[in-house]
């Protein structure tokens, strides 16, 4: 039921994910952020078993930081993707992680890129991709409406259409989504698309 | 949860084999083999029903809940332990006192929860001694989550909430034996949790008083024990404030039932009258 999808536009990459944390029929929370900011210019959207998702993405994030500390410069997106895939592959025949990932990054000179990494350590560099039951609806829409070098307005419009389609057609559709963007200025949260809001607690 | 996506696969029709006349007088051959796959469960419906119930029913027979509001955190739990259909105890302590300002709830295996909460208490104390300051709720829950993650797949059964008050104010985390850890404002764990959520979600307001929050928690657990066979016994409610936790009440659920729904004298529906003389 977890949906993660993303695409590359003109000078930016977008990753969106649903924000429900679910256990069998129970929704524990509807505002769980599943797109991790790995470093200044990288995003990692993850879906899969809850323990694996958090532990594996944090492991990748900390290793990325360690590389930067040791070498005084960050890893490129391509190198990060290959490192991540390598970790999944090594664990695969011993103690596998059940996580599907979309890694998005911006590199000087290369521009934006997205990598598709699935739970059995498949690695593809792609322009648009999706994971989860939502992918059945997203992929055709992205195939139809995507074109290279989309502007940010066109890309967000496409993402919104996809979110509406998922909400309309998926039987247990997640109500809320988070959209994050990475471009020349860095990786940051772009917007939330919420149809269920939890009441905010104001601290005494 | 497994959704049936066979409808999305490409349809490959099974070609009915040529019928031979005389031998196939048995009833199931009369109409030929099915040209489509029969849905799962048709062969053995009772087993299918059992499997369906098992998938939907969370394995942890209990009801616990916790929520953050403006005055702190309320933690509540029932006290029943069941082994299948047998109630082994009605007086289990499911709210574990990790230290004077942090509580943990128990759902799943009692031994697992008790042992690992005690272990967490030890680690929290060691942190205090090493760093000369109390550990945060975030830190304590992360310690527990990492330990449970390392035992992933080895059969631990723990669904716990870590609630406390630290420098940043009230904190609440849900941690389970699959390695999941969630930060939130409202959680309920156990087989009775859907029932408790129903009461909790609709009565919750961030600006409740301690008394109102207390009553909401007690009501939510009571309603869960009413509907869920694996929950019952005594409702314990704790409050965690800036000065630590305090136990607010422990009420027997059957007494609460008659308090909320007192027996009413029902009027006699129809009185028998003497038949009129012929």
């Amino acid at each position: 039921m977890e949906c993660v999808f993303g695409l590359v536009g003109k000078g930016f990459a977008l990753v969106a994910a649903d924000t429900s944390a679910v256990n069998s029929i129970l929704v524990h929370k509807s505002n769980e952020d599943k797109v991790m900011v790995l470093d200044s210019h990288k995003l990692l959207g993850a879906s899969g078993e809850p323990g694996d998702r958090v532990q594996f993405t944090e492991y990748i994030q900390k290793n990325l930081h360690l590389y930067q500390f040791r070498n005084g410069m960050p890893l490129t997106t391509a190198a990060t993707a290959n490192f991540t895939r390598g970790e999944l592959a090594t664990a695969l025949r011993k103690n596998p992680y059940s996580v599907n990932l979309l890694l998005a990054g911006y590199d000087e000179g290369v521009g934006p890129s997205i990598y598709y990494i699935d739970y059995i350590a498949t690695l593809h560099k792609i322009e648009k991709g999706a994971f989860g039951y939502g992918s059945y609806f997203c992929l055709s829409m992205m195939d139809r409406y995507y074109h290279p070098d989309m502007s940010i307005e066109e890309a967000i419009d496409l993402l919104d259409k996809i979110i509406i389609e998922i909400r309309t057609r998926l039987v247990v559709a997640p109500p809320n989504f988070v959209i994050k963007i990475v471009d020349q200025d860095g990786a940051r949260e772009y917007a939330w698309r919420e149809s269920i809001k939890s009441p905010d607690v104001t601290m005494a | 949860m497994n959704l049936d996506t066979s409808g999305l696969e490409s349809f490959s029709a099974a070609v009915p084999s040529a019928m031979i006349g005389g031998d196939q007088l048995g009833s199931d051959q009369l109409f030929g083999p099915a040209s489509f796959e029969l849905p799962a469960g048709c062969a053995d419906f009772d087993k299918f029903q059992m499997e369906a119930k098992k998938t939907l029913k969370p394995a942890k027979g209990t009801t616990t809940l916790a929520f953050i509001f403006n005055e702190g955190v309320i933690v509540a739990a029932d006290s029943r332990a069941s082994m299948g259909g047998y109630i082994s105890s009605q007086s289990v302590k499911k709210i574990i006192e990790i230290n004077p300002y942090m509580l943990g709830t128990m759902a799943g295996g009692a031994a697992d929860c008790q042992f690992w909460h005690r272990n967490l208490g030890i680690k929290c104390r060691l942190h205090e001694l090493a760093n000369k300051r109390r550990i945060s709720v975030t830190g304590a829950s992360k310690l527990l989550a990492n330990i449970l993650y390392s035992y992933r797949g080895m059969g631990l059964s723990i669904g716990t909430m870590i609630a406390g008050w630290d420098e940043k104010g009230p904190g609440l985390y849900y941690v389970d034996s699959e390695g999941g850890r969630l930060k939130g404002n409202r959680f309920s764990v156990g087989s009775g949790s859907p029932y408790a959520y129903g009461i909790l979600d609709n009565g919750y307001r961030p600006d409740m008083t301690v008394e109102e929050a207390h009553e909401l928690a007690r009501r939510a657990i009571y309603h869960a024990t009413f509907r869920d066979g694996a929950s019952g016994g005594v409702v314990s409610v704790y409050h965690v404030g800036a000065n630590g936790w305090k136990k607010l009440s422990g009420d027997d659920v059957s007494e609460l039932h008659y308090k909320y729904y007192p027996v009413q004298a029902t009027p006699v529906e129809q009185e028998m009258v003497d038949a009129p003389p012929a």
Side-chain angles (χ1 to χ4, degrees), chain B residues 85-125:
Chain B
Y86 175 69
I87 297 174
S88 38
S89 169
Q90 289 272 61
S91 51
V92 177
K93 257 192 87 175
K94 295 191 188 178
I95 298 184
I96 298 160
E97 296 141 12
I98 299 171
N99 61 42
Y101 58 97
M102 240 194 300
L103 295 172
T105 59
M106 180 200 297
D112 287 339
C113 289
Q114 277 177 1
F115 179 88
W116 289 108
H117 277 125
R118 184 122 185 193
N119 185 281
L120 179 64
I122 294 170
K123 293 215 159 60
C124 290
R125 179 67 183 143

Side-chain angles (χ1 to χ4, degrees), chain A residues 1 21 23-26 28-29 32 50-52 54-55 58 95-97 133 136 171 199-204, chain B residues 3 5 8 55-56 68-70 142 146 149 152 170 174 178-180 182-183 185-188 193 197 204 206:
Chain A
M1 249 62 63
N23 187 342
S24 154
I25 57 167
L26 250 187
H28 276 305
K29 60 190 290 209
E32 169 81 352
D52 286 347
V54 172
Q55 294 278 357
E58 281 185 2
N95 190 8
Y97 295 105
Y133 284 120
Y136 285 102
V171 60
D200 271 325
V201 181
T202 48
M203 292 304 140
Chain B
L3 279 185
T5 52
L8 293 165
T55 357
L56 289 178
I68 296 181
F69 65 120
N70 285 347
K142 191 77 178 168
N146 285 339
Y149 185 71
R152 180 177 58 117
Y174 163 79
E178 274 96 63
L182 297 171
K183 179 173 161 65
N185 286 338
R186 246 189 353 265
F187 287 115
S188 176
S193 61
Y197 268 125
Y204 175 83

Side-chain angles (χ1 to χ4, degrees), chain A residues 42-152:
Chain A
K42 290 188 194 51
L43 290 173
L44 187 59
S47 73
E49 272 185 40
D52 286 347
R53 173 170 58 79
V54 172
Q55 294 278 357
F56 185 73
T57 53
E58 281 185 2
Y59 173 70
I60 299 296
Q61 185 192 49
K62 301 315 174 201
N63 271 291
L64 232 55
H65 285 174
L66 182 61
Y67 181 93
Q68 187 164 2
F69 281 133
R70 280 183 175 154
N71 300 284
M73 51 183 259
L75 268 178
T76 59
T77 310
T80 311
N82 279 285
F83 167 69
T84 307
R85 188 213 90 89
E87 290 302 311
L88 281 172
T90 313
L92 182 62
R93 303 285 184 183
K94 296 171 192 161
N95 190 8
Y97 295 105
S98 312
V99 259
N100 296 311
L101 306 161
L102 276 183
L103 171 68
Y106 185 94
D107 304 293
E108 284 259 340
V110 174
S113 46
I114 288 191
Y115 289 84
Y116 171 105
I117 307 169
D118 80 4
Y119 72 106
I120 38 178
T122 310
L123 173 64
H124 290 300
K125 182 170 188 296
I126 52 168
E127 289 178 324
K128 49 188 168 31
F131 281 113
Y133 284 120
S135 70
Y136 285 102
F137 310 106
C138 308
L139 287 171
S140 56
M141 288 178 73
M142 288 201 272
D143 289 337
R144 167 70 180 87
Y145 294 112
Y146 176 86
H147 56 87
D149 291 335
M150 287 173 87
S151 72
I152 184 120

